[in-house]
């Protein structure tokens, strides 16, 4: 890539989507276990990030056309900073710091990224990154993340730069399951990739695509809840401790659902509980979430920019029974496997990049007002990674919310564990930790009900009979379940 490059129409769309109360910045953290040598972390970040020309480039407007142009006054100290949190410097202070960064604009006259190395009194460190969505989407930023790590598991005394072939292999193993998460059929996936290959033609591909576009334009708004309203621009963030991925896999296999179904059902249950705790009516409530879907062809692993479409999924918040909620999520996700929504929305993003900003704003106001949340699910590396010799204990990120959407849910798996992150607008949800605290208990209920089997009028008896594995198989999995779940008393489902 040359040092000057015209910005793609899709990336232009994301750059222009910034609003004072919703910045299009992807914010993430890498939590490092001690020992950590801060100078080595900073040097590694500097050396490895600048392999990508994009991290030396600023946005330049030439007669209304946007270009990525080399910053002739580039100074790495503007982009990599060392920080010490206020006492006591724990998770609460880190959450507030991450939220502050999420609502602080990047300097538009400089490359649109910053990394903050947060020093811990206890010897570790947390790297907080914020990168504008115009540079790359979540899947492309995995390329960036894997360019930072040391390579195969190394000790402090045995560091070496990452292997390009290993990096590509890791990314391929991550990208391959993305389509399987939504269970798209192979035919539809190939069609979607074909349309995404020429996104300016997407909106002229016949009746199926026209119907998808009409559906997007005419779909009614979701339920009016406290998750929808006037935004303040004051952000709050929270995240869970990791949950063992084998436990999620065991239950999903037992119930005949995907891991993605399980995770989305847990999100729906957590939102249901939060509404009920605040005295809100939940019966019949549906919350529409926008879910990004990667549309990169296999083999494209080192290309930055944005290459994804979006599907809209209605979460059945009003279903109180956890298993009924899971199967309804499963049913709805299965219905999306023949959807053209992802390539249609990619084509729409491309078309809007060529249109005047006022047109883009009007279209997004129409579409985004029908949703309350953005939910992303990124399958990360399955093995532990190291940065400058320090083990990365936890990875988390927070998805930006376009328009007037005030709720962003991020799901990420890493090193055999899965975790949830939440970013909210304080005017709507001032205490996201109250929602985050419900994710694992909601999942534990599904584990619990797998052991007990169906009971009560609310249970979808026919579906359970069709999908659940034999009782002896469920019992054989009991040893793999968390001790706290095995000890739970038997009770009727609520």
């Amino acid at each position: 890539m040359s040092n000057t490059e015209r910005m793609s129409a899709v990336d232009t769309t994301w750059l222009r989507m910034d609003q004072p109360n919703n910045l299009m910045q992807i914010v993430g953290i890498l939590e490092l276990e001690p020992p950590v040598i801060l100078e080595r972390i900073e040097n590694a970040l500097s050396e490895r990030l600048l392999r990508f020309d994009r991290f030396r480039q600023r946005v330049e407007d030439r007669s209304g056309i946007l270009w990525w142009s080399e910053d002739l006054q580039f100074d790495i100290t503007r982009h990599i900073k060392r920080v010490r949190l206020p006492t006591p410097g724990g998770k609460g202070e880190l959450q507030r710091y991450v939220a502050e960064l999420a609502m602080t604009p990047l300097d538009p006259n400089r490359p649109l990224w910053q990394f903050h190395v947060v020093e811990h009194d206890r010897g570790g460190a947390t790297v907080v990154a914020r990168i504008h969505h115009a540079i790359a989407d979540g899947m492309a930023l995995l390329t960036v993340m894997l360019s930072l790590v040391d390579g195969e598991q190394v000790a402090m005394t045995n560091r070496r730069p990452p292997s390009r072939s290993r990096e590509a292999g890791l990314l391929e193993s991550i990208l391959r399951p993305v389509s399987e998460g939504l269970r798209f059929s192979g035919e539809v996936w190939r069609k979607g990739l074909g349309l995404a290959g020429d996104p300016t033609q997407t909106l002229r591909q016949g009746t199926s695509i026209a119907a998808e576009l009409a559906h997007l334009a005419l779909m009614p708004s979701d339920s009016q809840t406290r998750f929808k309203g006037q935004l303040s621009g004051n952000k709050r963030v929270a995240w869970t401790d990791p949950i063992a991925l084998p436990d999620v896999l065991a239950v999903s296999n037992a119930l005949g659902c995907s891991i993605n179904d399980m995770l989305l059902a847990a999100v729906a249950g957590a939102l249901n509980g939060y509404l009920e705790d605040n005295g809100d009516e939940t019966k019949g409530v549906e919350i529409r979430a926008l879910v990004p879907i990667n549309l990169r062809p296999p083999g494209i692993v080192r290309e930055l920019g944005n290459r994804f479409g979006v599907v809209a999924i209605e979460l059945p918040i009003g279903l109180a029974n956890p298993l009924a909620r899971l199967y309804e999520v499963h049913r709805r996700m299965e219905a999306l496997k023949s959807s053209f929504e992802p390539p249609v929305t990619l084509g729409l993003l491309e078309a809007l990049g060529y249109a005047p900003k006022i047109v883009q704003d009007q279209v997004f106001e129409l579409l985004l007002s029908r949703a309350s949340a953005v939910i992303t699910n990124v399958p990360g590396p399955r093995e532990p990674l190291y940065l400058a010799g320090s083990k990365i204990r936890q990875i988390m990120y927070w998805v930006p919310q376009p328009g007037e959407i005030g709720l962003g849910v991020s799901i990420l798996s890493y090193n055999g564990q899965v975790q949830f992150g939440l970013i909210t607008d304080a005017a709507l949800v001032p205490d996201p930790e109250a929602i985050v605290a419900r994710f694992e208990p909601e999942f534990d209920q599904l584990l619990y009900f797998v052991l007990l089997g169906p009971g009560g009028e609310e249970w979808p008896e026919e579906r359970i009979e069709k999908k659940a594995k034999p009782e002896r198989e469920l019992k054989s999995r009991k040893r793999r379940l968390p001790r706290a779940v095995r000890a739970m008393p038997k009770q009727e489902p609520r």
Side-chain angles (χ1 to χ4, degrees):
M1 182 177 65
S2 66
N3 288 333
T4 300
E5 176 187 1
R6 182 169 175 173
M7 184 180 293
S8 74
V10 175
D11 296 346
T12 298
T13 298
W14 283 104
L15 183 69
R16 299 191 310 193
M17 214 180 294
D18 268 327
Q19 295 184 11
N21 55 10
N22 255 344
L23 300 174
M24 292 299 99
Q25 298 174 173
I26 299 173
V27 181
I29 62 171
L30 303 175
E31 186 174 339
L32 306 177
E33 293 183 356
V36 174
I37 299 177
L38 297 178
E39 290 79 7
R40 290 180 179 174
I41 299 296
E42 292 165 341
N43 291 338
L45 292 174
S46 175
E47 174 189 345
R48 298 169 188 178
L49 281 168
L50 297 184
R51 295 173 181 174
F52 298 88
D53 287 351
R54 186 72 80 240
F55 286 84
R56 292 182 180 270
Q57 295 171 325
R58 58 185 290 271
V59 177
E60 184 178 348
D61 190 332
R62 301 180 185 175
S63 303
I65 298 177
L66 299 181
W67 294 77
W68 296 109
S69 181
E70 184 175 4
D71 182 3
L72 299 179
Q73 297 180 332
F74 180 82
D75 182 352
I76 193 65
T77 62
R78 293 193 183 107
H79 299 276
I80 298 178
K81 299 178 177 293
R82 190 181 301 186
V83 178
R84 180 176 285 274
L85 297 177
T87 304
K91 185 174 181 180
E93 287 75 26
L94 182 60
Q95 287 179 330
R96 285 188 285 274
Y97 182 67
V98 172
E100 180 182 339
L101 291 178
M103 57 187 178
T104 302
L106 292 159
D107 185 348
N109 298 312
R110 301 299 173 203
L112 298 175
W113 64 276
Q114 276 190 333
F115 276 60
H116 305 256
V117 180
V118 181
E119 189 175 358
H120 294 176
D121 290 334
R122 58 187 181 277
T126 301
V127 177
V128 184
R130 55 186 183 132
I131 301 174
H132 199 284
H133 213 313
I135 290 180
D137 56 33
M139 294 305 299
L141 287 179
L142 280 176
T143 301
V144 175
M145 184 192 74
L146 293 176
S147 76
L148 302 179
V149 301
D150 294 343
E152 295 187 4
Q153 300 180 17
V154 292
M156 185 67 102
T157 57
N158 183 28
R159 298 183 307 280
R160 63 177 181 269
S163 161
R164 283 180 176 267
S165 61
R166 176 179 175 272
E167 180 181 317
L170 274 174
L171 274 167
E172 289 292 1
S173 69
I174 292 166
L175 291 175
R176 194 176 305 113
V178 171
S179 63
E180 298 169 5
L182 284 179
R183 296 189 176 186
F184 284 116
S185 69
E187 180 182 359
V188 169
W189 187 250
R190 286 190 296 272
K191 288 181 179 178
L193 290 176
L195 295 175
D198 187 6
T200 59
Q201 302 298 316
T202 299
L203 305 183
R204 300 194 292 271
Q205 294 295 324
T207 56
S208 295
I209 295 175
E212 294 284 6
L213 186 57
H215 166 70
L216 290 172
L218 298 175
M219 65 183 179
S221 180
D222 57 353
S223 302
Q224 184 62 46
T225 68
R226 66 175 57 242
F227 302 133
K228 187 189 292 283
Q230 185 66 41
L231 304 183
S232 67
N234 190 7
K235 296 295 183 181
R236 298 285 188 271
V237 303
W239 62 94
T240 65
D241 290 329
I243 302 169
L245 195 55
D247 292 339
V248 184
L249 180 60
V251 177
S252 68
N253 286 341
L255 295 177
C257 296
S258 72
I259 291 179
N260 204 55
D261 298 335
M262 295 276 298
L263 299 176
L264 289 177
V267 171
L271 297 178
N272 172 286
Y274 183 79
L275 292 177
E276 289 185 344
D277 284 351
N278 284 277
D280 298 346
E281 178 60 49
T282 61
K283 185 176 181 180
V285 169
E286 302 267 339
I287 289 180
R288 182 175 290 114
L290 305 180
V291 181
I293 303 299
N294 177 57
L295 290 178
R296 282 176 172 76
I300 305 299
V301 296
R302 297 187 61 84
E303 181 181 294
L304 299 186
N306 290 274
R307 202 72 176 166
F308 67 94
V310 176
V311 293
I313 175 73
E314 284 77 33
L315 297 178
I317 306 298
L319 289 178
N321 182 280
L323 193 57
R325 189 188 307 126
L326 170 64
Y327 279 129
E328 183 58 22
V329 167
H330 172 76
R331 184 190 67 78
R332 296 179 185 190
M333 296 302 282
E334 284 289 292
L336 287 173
K337 69 181 181 180
S338 59
S339 172
F340 277 85
E341 279 186 39
V344 166
T345 52
L346 177 58
L348 183 61
L349 290 169
E350 178 89 6
L352 290 173
Y354 291 110
K357 186 176 186 303
I358 188 172
V359 174
Q360 175 181 321
D361 291 344
Q362 290 172 345
V363 171
F364 277 120
E365 182 179 359
L366 173 68
L367 296 179
L368 298 176
S369 63
R370 312 324 179 45
S372 296
V374 178
I375 300 178
T376 65
N377 184 0
V378 175
R382 300 174 184 176
E383 59 187 69
L385 303 178
Y386 291 75
L387 174 60
S390 297
K391 184 177 181 180
I392 300 175
R393 189 187 77 82
Q394 188 173 20
I395 304 172
M396 195 61 243
Y397 71 102
W398 290 269
V399 60
Q401 308 89 63
E404 292 296 311
I405 293 177
L407 192 68
V409 180
S410 304
I411 305 171
L412 182 138
S413 59
Y414 166 61
N415 191 24
Q417 299 176 312
V418 64
Q419 54 208 327
F420 296 84
L422 185 63
I423 183 168
T424 64
D425 189 283
L428 306 182
V429 180
D431 53 345
E433 61 278 358
I435 298 177
V436 159
R438 288 184 165 275
F439 285 140
E440 187 168 7
E442 285 293 330
F443 169 67
D444 285 346
Q445 285 194 66
L446 292 173
L447 291 172
Y448 177 54
F449 290 140
V450 163
L451 295 178
L452 295 182
E457 294 181 359
E458 293 183 312
W459 286 73
E461 305 273 0
E462 186 176 339
R463 286 184 185 150
I464 291 174
E465 182 179 352
K466 178 180 178 180
K467 293 185 176 296
K469 298 293 178 64
E471 183 178 355
R472 62 181 179 276
E473 181 174 342
L474 298 182
K475 288 182 178 179
S476 71
R477 297 184 184 275
K478 184 173 181 179
R479 293 187 300 273
R480 301 174 60 182
L481 302 180
R483 187 180 308 155
V485 176
R486 297 200 301 265
M488 289 175 65
K490 182 171 181 178
Q491 60 183 32
E492 292 299 313
R494 57 190 179 117

